[in-house]
Amino acid sequence: MKLIHLCLALVTAFAGLHAESRTWTNSAGKAIQAEFVGISGDQVSLSLANGSRAVVSLTSLCAEDQAWIRSQPATTPGV
């Protein structure tokens, strides 16, 4: 019975860790689909669909994406 409770607790905990994929646009208008991983200083980390990670400057993103990142909780994991 304890094993079942442990499994349910783990599934519940990890379900909240999945980030939602969104379209990111840089200041030149180029767009990519990726999940926000975190920010450290001015460096934004994004997880691409192919499993690779892209690190871009916050200021290289469009104003809307910069505002979205700034609206995220301060406890977001770093790059």
Side-chain angles (χ1 to χ4, degrees), residues 15-55:
L17 294 178
H18 176 71
E20 189 173 320
S21 183
R22 63 188 306 269
T23 301
W24 298 88
T25 307
N26 69 13
S27 55
K30 182 177 178 182
I32 61 168
Q33 193 73 23
E35 294 178 4
F36 177 66
V37 175
I39 184 169
S40 180
D42 185 42
Q43 299 299 300
V44 178
S45 182
L46 303 173
S47 178
L48 306 176
N50 66 5
S52 65
R53 186 174 283 191
V55 178

Side-chain angles (χ1 to χ4, degrees), residues 1 12-13 32-34 45 50 55 58 61 67 71-72 76 79:
M1 189 61 127
T12 303
I32 61 168
Q33 193 73 23
S45 182
N50 66 5
V55 178
L58 178 64
L61 296 172
S71 75
Q72 298 307 296
T76 302
V79 178

